Amino acid sequence: MSDRTRKLLFFASAAGFGAFLLWALAGLPRFGDYRGAYGRAINSLGVPARHVTDMATAINFDFRGFDTLGEEYILFVSVTGLALLLRRMRGEIEDAPLEFAPDRQVKPRGDCVGGLGLLLTGATNLFGLYIVVHAHLTPGGGFQGGAILGTACLLVYLAIGYRVFRTISPKSLMESAESIGAGGYAAIGIATLIASGAFLANCLPLGKTGNLFSGGTIPVINLAVGLEVAGGFILMFAEFLKTTRRPAESRKP
C-alpha cells in the first residue's frame, strides 16, 4: 500500500471517528444531570455500610470483590506467560538483534534525561504509594498505584541505566511480591470465609469514615493488589529490557 493511500485511509477514518465522537458528546446529559440508578444506589450504601468515600474501590474490593479477584489473576497469568515466552525466545535467536542494525545507533543518555528521570523517580514513587494507600478515600486503587510504582522503577532505568534497575528490582524479590500479592487476595477471602461465613465479607473494624484506617478489609485487599501489580509490571519491564541486552563477551572491544 502506498503512502498516499495510507494517508487517505487515515484521514477518512479520523474524520469518521471525529464525527461519531461529536455526535456522542452532543447526546451526553448536562453537567450535574446524573441518571445512573445503580450509581445512586451504590452511593447510598457505600458510605454507611463500608465507611469508605471512594465508591469505585468499594465496588471493586467489596460489592464485586470476587470478580476483581479473577481480574487480578488475568494480570498474574499474563505476566507469567510473557516471562515464559521471552525467556524461551532468548535462546532461539536466528537473526541479529535490531541493535546490530548499522542504521540504528543508540544515542548516549543526556544529562537532562538523567537528572529529570531521577527527580521524577522520587515523586512518582511517592505518588504511587499515595494512590495505593488512600484508594478507599480518594480516586485510585491498587492497580493504578501499582502501575505507577512499576513505572517509577522504569524511570531508574531511563535515568541511570540497566544495572541499577536490576539492582533495585531483583527478579526473585519481584516474583515474590507478585506471588504474595496475588495469593494474598485469595488468602484474605479464605480468612473472611472462616471468620464470617462468607467469602470476602468484611470481618475487621470499619473505623471512622474518612480516616486512613477505615473500610475494614478493603484497604488490606487493596494493598495486596498494589503489591501484585507493582511486582508484575517491574517483572514485565525487566523481561522486555533483557531481550534488548546481549552478553558482555559478545560485544565488540
Side-chain angles (χ1 to χ4, degrees), residues 31-61:
F31 184 78
D33 183 16
Y34 182 68
R35 304 174 185 176
Y38 291 109
R40 297 186 188 281
I42 290 295
N43 283 334
S44 64
L45 288 173
V47 175
R50 299 295 180 265
H51 292 204
V52 297
T53 52
D54 182 13
M55 292 304 107
T57 298
I59 293 171
N60 288 331
F61 301 133

Side-chain angles (χ1 to χ4, degrees), residues 143-240:
F143 193 95
Q144 295 87 342
I148 294 172
L149 290 172
T151 304
C153 199
L154 184 62
L155 284 172
V156 173
Y157 163 74
L158 296 175
I160 303 176
Y162 179 77
R163 192 180 299 276
V164 177
F165 169 77
R166 295 305 298 157
T167 301
I168 65 169
S169 59
K171 185 178 70 175
S172 58
L173 180 62
M174 294 302 106
E175 288 178 342
S176 300
E178 188 192 21
S179 301
I180 292 172
Y185 196 148
I188 294 169
I190 295 172
T192 56
L193 176 63
I194 296 172
S196 63
F199 192 76
L200 291 177
N202 179 63
C203 58
L204 295 177
L206 290 174
K208 184 179 179 181
T209 303
N211 284 355
L212 184 61
F213 298 101
S214 62
T217 55
I218 291 178
V220 184
I221 298 172
N222 186 61
L223 288 175
V225 173
L227 185 65
E228 191 261 337
V229 173
F233 267 68
I234 295 172
L235 276 177
M236 185 174 61
F237 292 147
E239 293 297 336
F240 278 125

Side-chain angles (χ1 to χ4, degrees), residues 4-155:
R4 185 171 181 274
T5 304
R6 283 203 294 265
K7 289 178 181 176
L8 287 174
L9 287 175
F10 168 76
F11 286 117
S13 302
F17 177 76
F20 277 112
L21 182 61
L22 291 175
W23 177 63
L25 289 174
L28 288 176
R30 297 178 61 182
F31 184 78
D33 183 16
Y34 182 68
R35 304 174 185 176
Y38 291 109
R40 297 186 188 281
I42 290 295
N43 283 334
S44 64
L45 288 173
V47 175
R50 299 295 180 265
H51 292 204
V52 297
T53 52
D54 182 13
M55 292 304 107
T57 298
I59 293 171
N60 288 331
F61 301 133
D62 192 289
F63 294 116
R64 43 148 282 183
F66 189 74
D67 292 345
T68 306
L69 174 63
E71 294 171 355
E72 187 195 27
Y73 276 90
I74 291 175
L75 175 66
F76 181 80
V77 172
S78 299
V79 173
T80 303
L82 181 141
L84 289 174
L85 287 174
L86 292 183
R87 288 173 188 177
R88 182 178 180 184
M89 288 175 61
R90 282 197 286 271
E92 298 177 348
I93 297 175
E94 297 179 352
D95 300 320
L98 291 178
E99 62 179 334
F100 288 100
D103 58 343
R104 183 176 182 271
Q105 300 296 327
V106 178
K107 296 182 179 179
R109 182 182 300 104
D111 293 337
C112 290
V113 173
L116 182 60
L118 285 177
L119 288 175
L120 290 176
T121 298
T124 308
N125 264 312
L126 288 175
F127 184 60
L129 289 173
Y130 174 86
I131 292 296
V132 172
V133 174
H134 293 81
H136 58 298
L137 303 176
T138 56
F143 193 95
Q144 295 87 342
I148 294 172
L149 290 172
T151 304
C153 199
L154 184 62
L155 284 172

